[in-house]
Amino acid sequence: MPQIPDIASCLEHLLPLKKWEEAFLADFSKLRLALSRLEANIGTCSQLHSSTLVDQPLSSDQLPENIVLDKFDGLMSGEEESSLSDAGDDPALENSIPKSSPANSPTLSVILGMDAVARVSMLRKQITAVQSLRALTMDDCLWLFALCAAVDTPVDADTCAALRSLLRKCANLRADKSKLDDEVIMLNMLVTICGRYFGQSEQ
């Protein structure tokens, strides 16, 4: 039986606080629930206009197309401020996290336009695509975040394996880091999603 290597460890000051992990998972679960409810109500305009998505009121004349992007940016900013165990007062971190561009982001219509099978397939393809990368881009992370927020659960064995490989990839990239930057923040988000939300850290 082949021996599975341990998940790579990183410098302690780059790890997220447990308190942040719990808050992040609560927000992520809330986003998943909101997307699920919105999809269930997609055919009823009155329900869409009266719904609240992740504590944000909907516009009276359009869907919140960039809700995933906005939530992602908010979580990124929140982690910069409070998630790391010993980030210190590095002035270089101020405003160091670039905002995502809606032009290439996974909008609500794109995500809800996919059926359940397409979302899982796209998630696996995105995970496969990042395996050979030496660094994670903002677009890579945003698409992975959005697809993880939209896939149905429980996930099948192949998707579990893909999420486990993403966890290991993110952990390996983070292990090569010595200083906090926006990539570390994105890696922490994906490690928490794969490891804690989808339960792959114990596999």
Side-chain angles (χ1 to χ4, degrees):
M1 182 176 179
Q3 186 173 5
I4 300 175
D6 292 335
I7 295 172
S9 58
C10 68
L11 296 175
E12 186 175 356
H13 71 275
L14 299 182
L15 291 171
L17 294 171
K18 294 298 182 183
K19 181 179 179 180
W20 174 85
E21 286 186 333
E22 296 302 325
F24 174 85
L25 289 170
D27 276 342
F28 185 71
S29 296
K30 189 185 295 185
L31 176 61
R32 281 182 54 86
L33 179 60
L35 291 175
S36 177
R37 286 177 174 173
L38 184 57
E39 184 174 25
N41 295 334
I42 197 70
T44 308
C45 292
S46 60
Q47 288 177 303
L48 288 175
H49 290 165
S50 63
S51 296
T52 300
L53 190 58
V54 196
D55 297 330
Q56 296 184 13
L58 298 183
S59 166
S60 61
D61 59 356
Q62 64 180 5
L63 295 176
E65 275 292 274
N66 296 318
I67 184 63
V68 176
L69 169 62
D70 292 342
K71 190 63 176 175
F72 177 84
D73 282 337
L75 290 169
M76 286 282 287
S77 299
E79 174 151 348
E80 177 190 6
E81 296 172 359
S82 63
S83 72
L84 299 173
S85 58
D86 189 22
D89 298 323
D90 187 349
L93 292 179
E94 292 186 13
N95 301 319
S96 65
I97 301 174
K99 294 296 182 182
S100 309
S101 169
N104 298 317
S105 65
T107 59
L108 189 64
S109 58
V110 171
I111 296 298
L112 295 185
M114 302 179 191
D115 60 24
V117 174
R119 290 173 196 166
V120 170
S121 176
M122 178 67 78
L123 176 59
R124 291 182 194 167
K125 288 178 181 178
Q126 290 288 334
I127 291 174
T128 299
V130 302
Q131 292 301 315
S132 61
L133 299 181
R134 295 184 178 181
L136 201 67
T137 68
M138 180 71 77
D139 283 342
D140 292 329
C141 186
L142 183 52
W143 273 100
L144 289 166
F145 174 85
L147 290 166
C148 284
V151 293
D152 291 343
T153 52
V155 294
D156 59 34
D158 289 340
T159 305
C160 280
L163 289 166
R164 192 156 55 249
S165 71
L166 178 60
L167 170 62
R168 292 183 180 279
K169 177 64 177 181
C170 291
N172 288 337
L173 291 175
R174 189 177 61 181
D176 291 335
K177 295 285 190 175
S178 60
K179 187 176 180 181
L180 171 65
D181 59 18
D182 54 328
E183 186 184 8
V184 171
I185 294 174
M186 294 187 294
L187 293 170
N188 279 337
M189 292 170 68
L190 292 177
V191 166
T192 302
I193 290 172
C194 295
R196 294 284 307 278
Y197 188 86
F198 289 106
Q200 297 307 305
S201 59
E202 300 176 356
Q203 302 299 316

